[in-house]
Amino acid sequence: EPSVHLVDLGTSQSQTALAILTSGMTRKDPDWIAFDMLNSILGGGFSGRLFQNLREQHAFTYGAYSAMDGRKAAGMWSASANVRRIATDSAATEILVEMDRLVNEPVKTEELDMHKQYASGRFLLSLENPGTMASRVQNIDLYDLPKDYYRTYVSKVMAVTPAELQRVAR
């Protein structure tokens, strides 16, 4: 059941956040990579839709982001921004507008391709870090992932389609 919690801290800014428990979406789920791409499109920094909407279009904030945290049995997805206090309700509404766009409008191929290239490049660069590699080996066991999960990661990212994103968003 959705709920809204407002806490007045008497400051000039508010933390506007939306969180969703993703009990049906775990790292082992075949749709996890598409979900990760959705997260990037929605809140992936300067190129994310939240950043473009809340900062560039409406000037509510310096930045707006989303994040996903996949666990073994469940996870959480969240979107957040520190906004001018007077824009709290408007910012929350715009977050919902952007989420609704992902459900109702296919992502343009050019936008998806940009996020695919970024995710693939970030992954390949991360292979140079031994700590990251050790963490990935641990993740295979921890999350019961296929042994070739990271070997096939980039090809799976590149195979994500706009139709798949819309299906996962729904």
Side-chain angles (χ1 to χ4, degrees):
E1 180 68 29
S3 63
V4 175
H5 303 274
L6 298 173
V7 179
D8 186 354
L9 300 176
T11 62
S12 62
Q13 285 193 326
S14 68
Q15 172 69 34
T16 301
L18 177 81
I20 299 172
L21 180 65
T22 58
S23 59
M25 183 72 68
T26 65
R27 288 187 188 209
K28 190 176 178 178
D29 192 294
D31 289 328
W32 180 258
I33 290 174
F35 187 55
D36 189 33
M37 296 307 304
L38 276 174
N39 181 64
S40 180
I41 290 165
L42 186 65
F46 296 111
S47 62
R49 290 180 176 187
L50 293 178
F51 197 94
Q52 294 300 312
N53 182 324
L54 298 176
R55 177 185 166 135
E56 301 299 323
Q57 185 178 348
H58 290 100
F60 292 153
T61 183
Y62 288 113
Y65 307 94
S66 65
M68 50 193 273
D69 182 19
R71 302 292 171 106
K72 194 169 188 171
M76 187 174 77
W77 174 87
S78 63
S80 64
N82 289 324
V83 300
R84 291 179 289 123
R85 187 176 178 167
I86 196 166
T88 301
D89 59 341
S90 299
T93 298
E94 290 302 321
I95 291 171
L96 294 172
V97 163
E98 293 300 341
M99 290 174 66
D100 192 55
R101 279 184 60 205
L102 289 171
V103 169
N104 295 309
E105 300 172 19
V107 173
K108 289 186 175 25
T109 303
E110 300 79 26
E111 182 181 19
L112 175 56
D113 286 347
M114 179 181 64
H115 286 273
K116 286 179 181 182
Q117 293 296 328
Y118 177 74
S120 299
R122 185 180 67 208
F123 174 78
L124 293 172
L125 285 173
S126 75
L127 297 176
E128 297 176 8
N129 184 319
T132 301
M133 292 300 295
S135 178
R136 290 199 174 124
V137 170
Q138 180 184 27
N139 286 347
I140 288 172
D141 288 335
L142 180 64
Y143 299 113
D144 194 28
L145 300 172
K147 299 296 181 207
D148 68 345
Y149 183 82
Y150 292 109
R151 198 170 333 140
T152 60
Y153 177 81
V154 171
S155 62
K156 288 178 183 172
V157 166
M158 298 308 285
V160 173
T161 65
E164 184 180 10
L165 290 178
Q166 193 171 23
R167 178 185 57 76
V168 171
R170 288 182 175 151

